Amino acid sequence: MSITRTGGFGIGFRKGWSNWQKDAVGLAKWAGDNDFACIDVGGDVEQVRQFQQAGAVVVSADLAQSWKDLICTDTAKRDAALAVNRQHIQACAALGVKVFFLVMLPADPAAKRADNFKLMVEAFAGLMPTLEQTGTQLAIEGWPGPGALCCTPETYRAFFKEVPSKANGINYDPSHLVRLGVDYLRFLDEFADRVVHVHGKDTELLSERLYELGNEQPATFAAGIGFGGNGWRYTLPGHGVIRWGAICQRLKQAGYKGKVCIELEDANFNGTEEGEKAGLIFARRFLEGC
């Protein structure tokens, strides 16, 4: 089983969307043959069961895909989404899943952020008892999608103050922090005790594109780039600016006991089975030395 040099954290990967990754038996076998410790599988309890039966260690599952209904003004929708997710957590926990991934995406990204924050607090305060009773934890990732909350220290800190349960945790993905201009190591200094899962993804900063395009407006003529923006792009660990050894050191000091799962979003590797397999193996080998 592959582990990081610092901390001895098991190295896995997040299941992608490509055709070759849709076959649970085939993907579980490939993961085992290539020394991966675990897989993040998404939000379907049946998928969790399929991967486990195929011999894979499932380290996390997504919260049920009604995320936006949890942060909305329609109380009937919100109550229904809470009921679905309570059942989903209980079913996955019965299979041994301990971590549930999501992004805090509101139904109305154009609404005032403070209003969406209040809706988020109300909804997730109602989900904590189920997480606590099942001994599971929420892993909130700070992907800065439309209207997303809990992406920066400001909103993470405020959310943990309002919903202080230890079942309320972070999926630490430093690639998003780099993109946002947030110090990803200082973030760990403040929030390491809340980290329940880690995604292995990096960010390359593109100084020439940033000079040409800035960071406030979309490009007028320049073509977009895969998994990226005006002055940055997501990459494999080792192909960006992130100091993974320093991350592992801080996680070890904080007593982190979880895994590091590679999330393959890199235009140089995504798109073909051969490229994606090569990318995952490269990232695993790199993280082994961190």
Side-chain angles (χ1 to χ4, degrees):
M1 181 183 76
S2 293
I3 59 173
T4 64
R5 184 173 182 274
T6 302
F9 308 125
I11 301 169
F13 63 92
R14 180 172 172 84
K15 175 185 170 293
W17 56 90
S18 302
N19 285 334
W20 73 274
Q21 297 192 52
K22 294 176 181 178
D23 171 17
V25 173
L27 189 60
K29 183 178 185 307
W30 183 84
D33 289 346
N34 287 278
D35 207 25
F36 287 98
C38 54
I39 301 177
D40 294 334
V41 302
D44 185 341
V45 66
E46 192 55 41
Q47 200 172 94
V48 172
R49 187 176 288 108
Q50 289 173 359
F51 274 91
Q52 288 181 334
Q53 290 173 347
V57 174
V58 176
V59 70
S60 82
D62 290 3
L63 214 57
Q65 290 297 319
S66 48
W67 299 353
K68 292 183 180 181
D69 288 347
L70 288 165
I71 309 176
C72 73
T73 56
D74 186 325
T75 55
K77 275 189 177 181
R78 186 168 56 187
D79 289 347
L82 279 168
V84 166
N85 278 290
R86 288 183 184 116
Q87 184 179 37
H88 176 69
I89 289 167
Q90 290 166 345
C92 289
L95 296 174
V97 176
K98 295 296 184 183
V99 175
F100 293 92
F101 169 93
L102 86 158
V103 177
M104 291 297 193
L105 295 169
D108 182 5
K112 290 182 179 179
R113 291 181 63 80
D115 291 343
N116 278 335
F117 178 86
K118 183 179 178 182
L119 293 172
M120 177 179 68
V121 167
E122 291 173 357
F124 285 90
L127 197 61
M128 290 300 133
T130 302
L131 292 159
E132 292 166 355
Q133 290 160 13
T134 54
T136 59
Q137 293 177 295
L138 207 60
I140 306 165
E141 182 179 82
W143 175 64
L149 298 161
C150 291
C151 299
T152 62
E154 177 197 40
T155 44
Y156 271 120
R157 189 184 303 118
F159 187 50
F160 293 141
K161 180 180 179 180
E162 295 295 328
V163 187
S165 170
K166 288 300 182 181
N168 197 10
I170 293 173
N171 182 83
Y172 179 68
D173 185 333
S175 70
H176 302 309
L177 295 170
V178 171
R179 168 187 172 183
L180 288 165
V182 174
D183 185 327
Y184 62 93
L185 293 177
R186 182 177 171 183
F187 183 92
L188 276 183
D189 291 339
E190 180 173 357
F191 295 106
D193 65 324
R194 287 284 186 174
V195 174
V196 301
H197 194 44
V198 175
H199 274 176
K201 192 164 88 242
D202 216 317
T203 302
E204 180 183 5
L205 298 178
L206 308 172
S207 58
E208 185 63 23
R209 276 182 62 92
L210 185 61
Y211 172 77
E212 286 291 324
L213 305 174
N215 59 14
E216 291 289 340
Q217 296 179 314
T220 305
F221 305 110
I225 55 175
F227 306 105
N230 281 6
W232 60 274
R233 74 177 190 93
Y234 293 137
T235 71
L236 295 174
H239 284 190
V241 300
I242 291 169
R243 295 168 52 205
W244 283 95
I247 286 174
C248 289
Q249 184 178 40
R250 279 170 168 77
L251 289 170
K252 180 182 179 181
Q253 290 171 346
Y256 178 69
K257 302 298 183 184
K259 304 290 193 291
V260 178
C261 283
I262 299 154
E263 185 177 29
L264 181 59
E265 293 182 353
D266 186 325
N268 292 338
F269 293 88
N270 284 89
T272 67
E273 179 176 346
E274 179 184 15
E276 290 171 5
K277 287 179 175 178
L280 288 168
I281 291 170
F282 170 88
R284 189 211 75 208
R285 289 172 176 164
F286 174 81
L287 290 170
E288 285 172 345
C290 294

